[in-house]
Amino acid sequence: MVNNFKQLSAPRDNKWNKWAVILAALAIVVSIIIAWWNNYEKSTSLNIEKFSETLLTQPLNVDGLTANYIFHDSIKVENLWQTTFIIRNTGETTIYGGGFNERNTRTELIPFTVSECSRILSVNISSCNNGAVLNKQNSLHIHQWRPGEFVELVFLTEGEHSPNISISDREIMNSSITYSTYSPETNQKDSKLIDVIPNVISDGLKWSYTIILAFICIGIIVTLPSEVKKQSTRQMRIITLLVWLIITALFASPILWMF
């Protein structure tokens, strides 16, 4: 009778051992994620995108016909460019200017430098959703610039080429400034569904699914040998192994659309 009890309790002990290994591994993974999250420093960055450029004073291919261009009825211009830039907060933190104790800019202004042009005729904000104001010194006066918000600037300049603008990363605390040129093909190729979600939510979804996937993989690793051994023939063992591998691949496939 004692032997029968030992035989009945042995499988139960094996199951408890398996679950103990799974829970211990899961606890380690959760601890690593929590430690990473507590030490994670959110990024502060702006992206300056050259959205469009148009030469307004293109030469006329007509014999005997010349054209002169006058800006505001007083300034003669040649090679007049209209260029649009979009400056977007692509980081994970809000940029604070004047009126906040948490200010992370050097001053209330974010100045920008214009290059590759001989003369600036006008600069205007055509669109924005952060309440920024442009002053006469080519600086953006901001109060609160949240992630995802933008300012669209339209330049009229004179020169051989369309202008470029730049912002010093020293104007914003611990920041990075990136530059890009608008391309519909690139935007469509790189777009992902999870990229539309705010960074805090998307990061939570990524790591939550990673923990769940780790839990599933550990469970499969622990369970798979016993499931294979239960099969009486070699053919059934191979089929069982393939089925489990397919199940694992299906659970892991969303990772491709997250990272």
Side-chain angles (χ1 to χ4, degrees), residues 25-207:
L26 182 60
I28 293 172
V29 173
V30 172
S31 299
I32 294 173
I33 297 301
I34 292 174
W36 172 84
W37 184 262
N38 289 333
N39 293 282
Y40 176 70
E41 185 178 352
K42 293 183 178 180
S43 63
T44 303
S45 64
L46 291 178
N47 175 256
I48 301 177
E49 179 183 58
K50 179 180 279 189
F51 186 76
S52 66
E53 54 184 358
T54 305
L55 179 60
L56 300 179
T57 55
Q58 295 186 12
L60 302 174
N61 296 322
V62 179
D63 292 336
L65 180 64
T66 58
N68 294 320
Y69 298 93
I70 308 296
F71 183 74
H72 282 180
D73 297 327
S74 59
I75 304 173
K76 184 177 180 180
V77 295
E78 296 179 359
N79 298 323
L80 179 64
W81 291 88
Q82 177 176 289
T83 312
T84 302
F85 294 92
I86 297 176
I87 308 175
R88 189 182 303 274
N89 183 351
T90 53
E92 300 170 310
T93 57
T94 299
I95 300 173
Y96 293 100
F100 291 92
N101 294 329
E102 303 88 350
R103 193 178 79 187
N104 51 3
T105 55
R106 190 172 63 85
T107 64
E108 298 179 0
L109 304 174
I110 300 180
F112 54 85
T113 303
V114 184
S115 60
E116 298 188 24
C117 72
S118 58
R119 181 165 50 176
I120 301 173
L121 298 175
S122 70
V123 185
N124 295 293
I125 294 179
S126 61
S127 178
C128 77
N129 58 359
N130 63 352
V133 178
L134 184 68
N135 67 9
K136 295 181 180 179
Q137 287 73 40
N138 291 336
S139 297
L140 292 172
H141 186 284
I142 66 165
H143 293 288
Q144 189 179 36
W145 196 341
R146 298 187 181 97
E149 294 181 340
F150 70 93
V151 177
E152 183 175 293
L153 300 173
V154 178
F155 288 76
L156 285 177
T157 60
E158 188 178 15
E160 293 296 327
H161 306 283
S162 65
N164 289 314
I165 65 172
S166 60
I167 295 175
S168 172
D169 56 7
R170 301 291 182 176
E171 299 294 335
I172 306 170
M173 184 183 300
N174 297 327
S175 67
S176 63
I177 311 297
T178 60
Y179 300 88
S180 62
T181 302
Y182 175 74
S183 174
E185 294 78 9
T186 302
N187 290 350
Q188 292 176 4
K189 181 180 179 181
D190 295 339
S191 61
K192 294 181 181 179
L193 178 61
I194 199 166
D195 293 335
V196 182
I197 304 173
N199 290 332
V200 175
I201 299 176
S202 64
D203 288 341
L205 289 174
K206 289 176 182 178
W207 289 111

Side-chain angles (χ1 to χ4, degrees), residues 1-11 13:
M1 184 173 182
V2 175
N3 293 332
N4 291 336
F5 176 77
K6 290 182 178 180
Q7 292 175 356
L8 291 173
S9 61
D13 292 339

